[in-house]
Amino acid sequence: MSFVDFDRTVHCLEYSWINSDGGRSTSKRKAQKNDCTVRALALARDLPYDEAYDILKDAGRKCGRGFDFVKWVGSQPWATKIAFPAVKGQRRMTPAQFCRDYPKGTYILRVTKHVFVVRDGIIYDTFKNRPDRCVYCAWAIE
């Protein structure tokens, strides 16, 4: 697998990826944008998209706007945080490396301005994330 970057550089996609909108296309909210937190919650917890949407709406998420998902998910008993702090002289965790290091289980990963799900070493998202993108933290989902 490969993808072409904004500068027309071809990169090898070093992980398995499944195009998934978390059920948005079959929900009553088909036209949602900026909803990665809703999609991640729906996929990670096996919830219908509309139920995940309502849960985050009750937590303060506004339609089509960003949401402090890190704070919210950190308060959930079913999510255990895994941090990947920067260490001088060492490379940061990437989606490709995460899939290799955590081949079993369900996780929500946080990268810059985005979250997505990894289940059993496969990334579920609406687009292919750059394989060298920095993963800042993840939550193991019970």
Side-chain angles (χ1 to χ4, degrees):
M1 287 188 256
S2 65
F3 72 97
V4 179
D5 203 353
F6 66 92
D7 64 356
R8 299 182 189 258
T9 303
V10 176
H11 298 274
C12 178
L13 194 59
E14 302 168 3
Y15 57 81
S16 296
W17 169 75
I18 294 177
N19 185 354
S20 177
D21 68 358
R24 177 179 61 200
S25 60
T26 59
S27 78
K28 62 184 180 184
R29 299 176 173 103
K30 294 176 178 62
Q32 286 295 306
K33 301 289 182 210
N34 197 18
D35 67 339
C36 65
T37 56
V38 177
R39 290 184 283 114
L41 178 60
L43 288 165
R45 300 283 298 177
D46 292 321
L47 300 172
Y49 181 89
D50 290 322
E51 186 177 336
Y53 183 97
D54 291 338
I55 289 168
L56 294 182
K57 180 181 178 184
D58 291 344
R61 181 185 178 273
K62 304 288 186 217
C63 179
R65 304 202 42 208
F67 174 67
D68 191 356
F69 186 76
V70 172
K71 183 177 178 182
W72 179 81
V73 77
S75 68
Q76 303 305 307
W78 44 262
T80 304
K81 185 175 182 179
I82 305 167
F84 301 108
V87 177
K88 188 173 183 175
Q90 294 182 9
R91 291 186 48 114
R92 299 283 307 243
M93 177 63 74
T94 65
Q97 186 64 45
F98 186 91
C99 290
R100 287 191 294 272
D101 290 354
Y102 296 87
K104 296 290 180 202
T106 301
Y107 304 89
I108 297 175
L109 274 66
R110 179 180 166 262
V111 295
T112 302
K113 299 182 181 181
H114 187 56
V115 295
F116 58 91
V117 170
V118 172
R119 179 176 282 145
D120 295 332
I122 300 171
I123 292 179
Y124 291 78
D125 204 352
T126 56
F127 62 91
K128 297 175 184 175
N129 285 275
R130 290 177 53 117
D132 62 344
R133 198 167 186 185
C134 293
V135 175
Y136 298 114
C137 65
W139 293 271
I141 307 302
E142 296 174 13

